[in-house]
Amino acid sequence: MRQMGDNDDGSLPRPQLSPKAVLKHNYLFRSLSDAALDGIAALAAKRTYYKGAVIFSQGDEGDALFGVASGRVRISASASGGREVFLNIMEPGDTFGEIAVMDGLPRTANAVALDDSTLIVIQRTDFLPFLEREPLLAIHLLKLMCERLRWTSELVEESAFMDGPARLAKRLLILASLHGRAARVGHLELRISQAELARFLGISRQIVNQHLADWRRLGWIELGRTQIVIRNTDALRALVAEGARV
């Protein structure tokens, strides 16, 4: 029987980051003094989630800030009719849930564990008083919110002005740069299914499959059941540049 923390391929799990290490790895808490980091780490509790577990759902009360100590978490949004769009993947050192924690309104997205994951959790009732005492943390939080706003605006612009192949190529390059690993010299391997990639773009799996099959024939990528290897990043970047001019 598989134990909590075992990987699907039988390898040993990656070591967990301590609450303080999660904070130090994240931009939101970077540059804070050791004393400040110790103070906010003392507010954090640890929770474990099995692969596929729902951490919170869109519309839930925004009562806590989360940081990833081990594993991965998928952030997504649900539209009317049940359609789901993937927004991001959080890995060790990343934090999420800031928006609802700050304004006290319901969650704007869903969070689901992609692997067996351990998270640090800081309650809103503890985080806000600490924020009032740390102006540098408040400035970092404002910058992070601006970064998220720019990212959202970029997604809207992509949807409005870029054609389908260029959008797919851009999202594939971004995901590979953030979450991929070097497979061979000049090659990037991304662990993702075509269905998941389609949900990142809000388009059908059939359309994604069609474009990926074309790129495989051209020798730009290799396809596996749950992985994509990028062999020619320059060709995909050129496709993105061309699509941006359409």
Side-chain angles (χ1 to χ4, degrees):
M1 179 177 179
R2 194 171 70 91
Q3 299 298 314
M4 175 66 176
D6 289 349
N7 293 331
D8 290 335
D9 60 4
S11 62
L12 293 174
R14 295 178 182 176
Q16 292 182 10
L17 297 178
S18 67
K20 186 175 180 179
V22 172
L23 301 177
K24 290 184 73 171
H25 276 71
N26 186 264
Y27 170 78
L28 180 57
F29 303 99
R30 198 172 299 160
S31 301
L32 293 183
S33 67
D34 273 346
L37 286 172
D38 287 334
I40 197 165
L43 303 175
K46 277 191 175 183
R47 293 182 191 169
T48 55
Y49 295 86
Y50 286 103
K51 178 179 180 179
V54 176
I55 298 162
F56 58 72
S57 299
Q58 198 168 328
D60 285 353
E61 180 183 359
D63 59 353
L65 173 73
F66 293 84
V68 183
S70 68
R72 296 181 303 152
V73 174
R74 183 183 66 226
I75 308 298
S76 65
S78 301
S80 57
R83 189 169 66 92
E84 186 179 27
V85 177
F86 293 173
L87 301 175
N88 213 338
I89 296 173
M90 299 298 174
E91 297 188 323
D94 291 335
T95 57
F96 60 96
E98 302 95 346
I99 294 176
V101 164
M102 286 304 300
D103 62 18
L105 297 176
R107 297 286 186 189
T108 59
N110 311 300
V112 174
L114 278 176
D115 306 310
D116 294 343
S117 302
T118 299
L119 308 181
I120 66 167
V121 185
I122 303 173
Q123 296 298 320
R124 182 174 190 266
T125 52
D126 295 322
F127 181 72
L128 293 184
F130 190 91
L131 184 63
E132 292 175 356
R133 301 192 299 270
E134 290 290 339
L136 183 58
L137 178 57
I139 292 171
H140 281 194
L141 186 59
L142 284 172
K143 289 181 178 179
L144 181 62
M145 294 296 189
C146 290
E147 180 183 299
R148 298 279 168 89
L149 181 60
R150 289 178 182 274
W151 174 75
T152 302
S153 176
E154 185 177 352
L155 288 180
V156 173
E157 290 175 6
E158 284 179 19
S159 181
F161 301 118
M162 296 184 75
D163 61 14
R167 284 182 62 210
L168 176 58
K170 183 174 182 178
R171 191 55 43 195
L172 186 58
L173 288 169
I174 289 173
L175 289 170
S177 67
L178 293 174
H179 310 292
R181 66 179 183 87
R184 296 181 293 279
V185 176
H187 294 186
L188 275 175
E189 180 181 308
L190 177 64
R191 186 174 49 148
I192 192 170
S193 70
Q194 294 183 32
E196 289 171 331
L197 189 54
R199 290 194 182 99
F200 269 107
L201 293 160
I203 60 179
S204 72
R205 183 186 181 281
Q206 289 75 17
I207 292 176
V208 168
N209 177 265
Q210 175 186 330
H211 294 315
L212 292 180
D214 289 341
W215 298 348
R216 179 174 57 182
R217 283 193 291 271
L218 291 170
W220 296 357
I221 64 170
E222 298 172 10
L223 295 177
R225 188 171 64 87
T226 58
Q227 67 182 26
I228 299 172
V229 177
I230 301 176
R231 300 179 60 189
N232 192 334
T233 56
D234 289 340
L236 293 179
R237 290 193 187 105
L239 189 62
V240 173
E242 182 63 30
R245 293 193 292 269
V246 172

